[in-house]
Amino acid sequence: MSTEQKNLLKQAEKCIEPIKKAEKALIISHIDADGLTSAAIASKALSREGIKHKIDFVKSLEPKKIKEIKKHQIDLILFTDLGSSLTPQLKKIEPDIVICDHHQPQHEPNEKIWELNPHHHGINGSTEISGASTTHTLATTLNPENQETADLAIVGSVGDIQDSSGKLIGINREILKKAQENNIIKTKKDIRLFGKQTRPIHKLLEYSSDPYIPGITGKEENCIKLIKNQNIPLKKEGKWRRWIDLNEKEKKAIVSSLINKALEKGISEKMINRLIGEVYILQKEKPGTELRDASEYSTLLNATARYNHSKTGLQLCLGKRNQVYKEAKNLLKNHRKNLVDGIKYIEQKNTQKLENIQYIDCENKIKDTIVGIVAGMALGSNKINRNLPIIALADKNEDKKISARTTQKMIYKGVNLGEAIAQAAETVNGNGGGHNIAAGATIPKTKQKQFLKKLDNLITNQIKN
Ligand SMILES: [Mn+2]
């Protein structure tokens, strides 16, 4: 274990002190797969200690939100997958505050609150540890029996695309190793498209949206052709075959013709790394369900949380099935369609270029809660320039939601979206932050132009320095 990791564990020891004293708590978490799994890990840990608690989900933690927090009769608020952007405001809240976040902190650690954030210890929260993994670190420090929920930490990490190099690294990997020893997770090198467990093979290819493969994504006929060209039967005994039904030879044949197709269409090698890589199989879950595969599980969770159904996703994480699972699957259908439509919209309308960013105003055509996911996927499209960070805007009531995504290559050049977005948002009375590779903000609609100009300047300076 590195010194940095040891220091994080030391801080976790401190952060469990107020939890040990608590009787009634409130968990506040983020509405995405990482936030949901974080909340579930925290909830199970609190239950194990006999601490009564409620759980709230928020889109983002804005200063005005803090006033709305109902803090009566609780002695602890536990923030998961958010909180670090607002430490000065949070210290004014009465009960004890514990934060488990992995977003870039905007402020120095504050003695009035217990904050577990990898960035304070020199650990990269964008790539090495998710909100769920940070919460898992706290939970296992509190009680080693919480190792049991390691699978949720992996689902959260994959949900935050921390496996984008082809596999999980850093503390996520340490958690993974333990989970493998405990037979909670198995890993495998495999195709990383959505639906390996559940979809007919041609549908798996057709709905591939991350990466988006021109000529394959959304093109059912071409997908069927690609499979038939390899002499692979689509059906067996009258039933559609799924990816998990194929033998290794068949899988290899499809993968190599898919890669050829992608290369032919100008998909970069980085994106192909996203296509084939390590996959995480949850041993407690039933084969043939989305829940069996960490990536599918995380998409299923996003499909609930991003559409105001966080509680459904949370119930899934807490082990409820039947009706809850059915409900989530229905939401998923709608989510997948919105993602494919969103990408098509960005490709057709295309981005506007400033000096060092490109932006697109999606207005109300893409929901503010998924515009970030779509922007990230758009960087995999050969119609979008990968050498400029993409800034996608969407209407959010009277405000504008901003989602920014970039590539590892741009980060090597100095780009840090989280910092730039936080600063640019502040100059227009907005609020934002995030990671170097992915960040977001909410700003007043009328300040859009000013914001983009400021952001462009900031990023230009980041690249120059
Ligand atoms: Mn997160």
Side-chain angles (χ1 to χ4, degrees):
M1 199 188 294
S2 67
T3 318
E4 286 83 5
Q5 290 178 6
K6 275 185 201 150
N7 286 339
L8 186 77
L9 286 180
K10 253 188 232 162
Q11 179 64 12
E13 294 279 354
K14 283 187 195 154
C15 290
I16 61 173
E17 281 164 25
I19 300 177
K20 282 182 180 163
K21 291 189 305 191
E23 284 173 9
K24 273 191 180 169
L26 173 64
I27 297 169
I28 299 180
S29 197
H30 189 214
I31 55 146
D32 67 3
D34 190 29
L36 257 57
T37 47
S38 300
I41 292 167
S43 172
K44 285 201 170 187
L46 293 187
S47 295
R48 202 186 294 279
E49 306 306 310
I51 302 166
K52 288 200 185 114
H53 59 277
K54 287 200 167 134
I55 306 169
D56 260 355
F57 290 97
V58 294
K59 264 190 204 176
S60 58
L61 199 60
E62 288 151 35
K64 62 182 176 201
K65 273 264 159 54
I66 292 173
K67 293 198 188 106
E68 295 163 20
I69 297 172
K70 294 176 201 77
K71 46 205 169 224
H72 50 268
Q73 292 183 339
I74 48 169
D75 40 31
L76 170 74
I77 302 181
L78 174 54
F79 288 96
T80 58
D81 196 30
L82 44 74
S84 283
S85 65
L86 283 183
T87 44
Q89 284 92 333
L90 290 175
K91 80 172 181 223
K92 293 178 197 137
I93 300 182
E94 201 52 57
D96 287 342
I97 305 269
V98 177
I99 295 173
C100 277
D101 195 3
H102 70 130
H103 296 90
Q104 288 167 359
Q106 307 294 327
H107 312 273
E108 290 301 303
N110 192 299
E111 65 214 20
K112 274 203 172 164
I113 48 187
W114 288 266
E115 186 183 9
L116 190 62
N117 187 315
H119 291 280
H120 287 315
H121 308 281
I123 297 168
N124 187 342
S126 307
T127 51
E128 297 177 25
I129 180 168
S130 60
S133 291
T134 308
T135 311
H136 175 82
T137 304
L138 183 82
T140 49
T141 305
L142 184 66
N143 188 335
E145 285 188 30
N146 290 318
Q147 288 291 356
E148 174 210 29
T149 46
D151 47 359
L152 293 176
I154 301 303
V155 172
S157 307
V158 171
D160 264 13
I161 326 208
Q162 297 205 325
D163 59 343
S164 65
S165 66
K167 62 180 190 192
L168 291 171
I169 57 168
I171 297 191
N172 289 331
R173 190 139 205 101
E174 299 296 321
I175 295 172
L176 173 69
K177 276 190 215 153
K178 266 230 165 97
Q180 284 173 302
E181 282 165 25
N182 294 332
N183 205 23
I184 295 173
I185 299 264
K186 273 200 176 129
T187 65
K188 216 175 131 190
K189 202 170 177 199
D190 203 348
I191 197 165
R192 300 210 288 182
L193 292 179
F194 182 88
K196 292 190 292 293
Q197 297 279 340
T198 49
R199 294 211 147 120
I201 333 158
H202 63 286
K203 286 287 171 192
L204 173 93
L205 303 184
E206 182 188 342
Y207 285 96
S208 59
S209 45
D210 186 17
Y212 182 94
I213 308 168
I216 291 290
T217 308
K219 301 267 175 8
E220 185 178 26
E221 264 174 54
N222 293 356
C223 296
I224 293 176
K225 234 201 282 171
L226 184 142
I227 298 163
K228 283 195 168 162
N229 281 345
Q230 307 298 326
N231 293 318
I232 293 169
L234 287 166
K235 283 186 172 180
K236 195 179 180 184
E237 289 157 11
K239 263 185 154 180
W240 292 112
R241 299 174 77 208
R242 299 161 301 179
W243 188 258
I244 53 171
D245 301 322
L246 301 182
N247 64 39
E248 290 306 316
K249 205 178 140 207
E250 290 173 319
K251 284 182 188 172
K252 269 197 188 133
I254 293 183
V255 165
S256 48
S257 69
L258 205 57
I259 290 179
N260 285 339
K261 188 102 194 171
L263 286 173
E264 202 179 282
K265 295 285 180 182
I267 303 274
S268 71
E269 221 144 297
K270 262 252 159 71
M271 289 316 288
I272 288 171
N273 271 344
R274 291 196 45 69
L275 193 62
I276 309 296
E278 200 168 73
V279 300
Y280 307 100
I281 304 154
L282 278 67
Q283 298 303 299
K284 282 185 256 169
E285 304 295 342
K286 208 162 125 195
T289 67
E290 290 83 359
L291 306 164
R292 181 79 169 169
D293 176 282
S295 168
E296 294 192 35
Y297 197 152
S298 72
T299 303
L300 188 64
L301 293 180
N302 278 327
T304 66
R306 299 293 183 172
Y307 300 85
N308 274 331
H309 288 85
S310 293
K311 290 276 150 89
T312 303
L314 176 71
Q315 293 300 323
L316 269 181
C317 295
L318 291 174
K320 295 259 167 33
R321 297 291 179 263
N322 301 327
Q323 194 51 39
V324 172
Y325 177 53
K326 254 186 227 160
E327 231 174 277
K329 279 185 71 146
N330 272 333
L331 290 164
L332 180 63
K333 257 189 220 156
N334 171 46
H335 178 52
R336 302 294 304 174
K337 184 178 181 301
N338 287 344
L339 293 184
V340 172
D341 289 351
I343 294 269
K344 277 189 197 148
Y345 176 82
I346 291 186
E347 283 193 336
Q348 269 158 23
K349 201 174 161 199
N350 221 328
T351 57
Q352 311 274 319
K353 281 158 197 78
L354 296 179
E355 196 177 338
N356 274 300
I357 60 172
Q358 56 185 329
Y359 70 92
I360 178 165
D361 187 359
C362 309
E363 295 161 13
N364 60 3
K365 302 292 190 303
I366 302 180
K367 215 170 135 64
D368 65 300
T369 51
I370 64 161
V371 71
I373 302 178
V374 178
M377 286 172 14
L379 282 178
S381 160
N382 64 336
K383 296 201 176 108
I384 302 294
N385 183 352
R386 283 176 59 78
N387 294 320
L388 291 174
I390 183 167
I391 319 297
L393 298 85
D395 295 345
K396 178 183 174 186
N397 306 323
E398 45 312 343
D399 291 330
K400 213 71 182 180
K401 165 76 200 251
I402 312 289
S403 284
R405 297 290 184 274
T406 191
T407 58
Q408 206 59 49
K409 188 172 151 201
M410 296 311 292
I411 289 168
Y412 293 138
K413 288 192 177 168
V415 171
N416 185 330
L417 291 178
E419 273 176 20
I421 284 257
Q423 215 179 323
E426 213 178 291
T427 59
V428 297
N429 291 323
N431 197 277
H435 305 293
N436 54 12
I437 200 161
T442 302
I443 62 161
K445 224 175 231 175
T446 48
K447 299 282 174 65
Q448 184 174 322
K449 250 198 170 152
Q450 197 187 331
F451 169 84
L452 287 168
K453 204 165 164 238
K454 178 77 191 171
L455 184 65
D456 191 35
N457 282 336
L458 289 168
I459 288 177
T460 302
N461 282 334
Q462 286 178 343
I463 293 171
K464 270 192 203 148
N465 297 323

